Amino acid sequence: MLPRTLSTPVLTASTSALVLLLVSACADDQQASEADPSADPDTGSSPDADPDSDSGADSAEEEEEDEESAEPIPASADGPAQNWPEPELPDEIYEETEEGAEALLHYWWEVLNHARITGDTDLLEQFSTEGCVQGAHELDLTRDLFDVERGWWGGESAEVRRPFTRLEEDGFALSVFELYETAFDVYLAGEHEVSVDDALTGITWIAHHAYLDGSWIVDELYVLNPEQVEDWENAE
């Protein structure tokens, strides 16, 4: 985490519920030409061949089109989300304003859910500083879930409500907000592990934002009052 004056223990909320070549061959053009007198001496191909034909390129283009047109499949008991679109990046995130920092806050939780349901952690890593403890925790948890436990998460993004954001010293901002998480399912080794229907709601969080390389990213996240989470866990 980047240096700052305020530090508070990090506490995980709903995530505590998780137990968590190509081989190719080619012929030598010269040998092919010598073996076949009818071959074109300049191209090594038959005179009847179509010079504009490129089956390899066509196949690659068709494959790319198939991937782009593939229908998104949500996470379910059948497997993690497939062809799932990335969260839409808000333009405000590039503005060094309170609105920009707040836009990042909403976006970050959408990115976290995208990582949980697909296993793709690139955006989560991109929009968290290297020293962000909560970000590192979520990265480790997600990678362990997919790579080690052969599992995935099924659910929707948590909702940020009533955020209050202010700019601090140059390049930093702070937000106080309530987080409302939704019901979710966890699958391990291809089997349904647990359902959480009464996920944490109304928990107050603190977020620190850093403006780096022209955009806001999360510098740290933590629960303001850990007793809120303890009460929820004890009620379980």
Side-chain angles (χ1 to χ4, degrees):
M1 183 175 68
L2 298 176
R4 62 173 66 258
T5 56
L6 179 61
S7 63
T8 304
V10 175
L11 186 77
T12 304
S14 69
T15 54
S16 61
L18 292 177
V19 181
L20 308 160
L21 293 152
L22 290 176
V23 177
S24 63
C26 61
D28 182 272
D29 290 342
Q30 182 176 357
Q31 291 180 354
S33 178
E34 293 174 352
D36 184 1
S38 65
D40 190 315
D42 293 328
T43 63
S45 59
S46 169
D48 297 329
D50 183 358
D52 296 327
S53 175
D54 191 344
S55 59
D58 291 343
S59 298
E61 290 177 3
E62 291 174 0
E63 184 176 346
E64 184 176 347
E65 290 176 359
D66 289 341
E67 291 178 356
E68 291 177 354
S69 62
E71 181 180 356
I73 302 173
S76 68
D78 296 327
Q82 302 291 326
N83 311 314
W84 203 252
E86 294 179 349
E88 184 175 353
L89 181 65
D91 293 335
E92 296 86 351
I93 204 172
Y94 300 110
E95 302 170 1
E96 194 173 354
T97 61
E98 292 174 352
E99 291 76 15
E102 203 162 283
L104 163 72
L105 185 60
H106 293 274
Y107 179 67
W108 192 91
W109 290 98
E110 293 174 0
V111 163
L112 173 59
N113 188 68
H114 186 268
R116 287 170 168 175
I117 65 174
T118 66
D120 183 356
T121 59
D122 288 350
L123 287 176
L124 184 59
E125 185 171 18
Q126 178 181 345
F127 286 95
S128 306
T129 62
E130 291 184 2
C132 178
V133 178
Q134 184 67 21
H137 171 78
E138 296 292 356
L139 281 167
D140 289 343
L141 194 66
T142 303
R143 289 166 177 166
D144 182 73
L145 176 62
F146 278 80
D147 299 338
V148 179
E149 301 291 346
R150 295 186 297 112
W152 62 91
W153 173 294
E156 308 227 349
S157 175
E159 182 182 355
V160 172
R161 297 185 189 177
R162 290 183 280 277
F164 169 79
T165 303
R166 71 163 186 245
L167 295 178
E168 296 186 293
E169 66 265 33
D170 290 345
F172 293 98
L174 177 144
S175 293
V176 181
F177 62 98
E178 290 183 1
L179 190 69
Y180 285 74
E181 302 203 48
T182 62
F184 63 89
D185 295 286
V186 179
Y187 302 87
L188 299 179
E191 299 292 337
H192 183 263
E193 180 71 14
V194 63
S195 293
V196 178
D197 297 322
D198 55 344
L200 284 165
T201 58
I203 303 299
T204 304
W205 284 69
I206 297 286
H208 293 284
H209 319 280
Y211 191 77
L212 295 175
D213 299 325
S215 71
W216 289 104
I217 63 176
V218 168
D219 192 24
E220 194 53 273
L221 286 159
Y222 51 83
V223 174
L224 178 62
N225 181 9
E227 291 183 359
Q228 287 184 292
V229 179
E230 292 173 1
D231 291 342
W232 176 84
E233 290 176 339
N234 290 334
E236 293 292 294

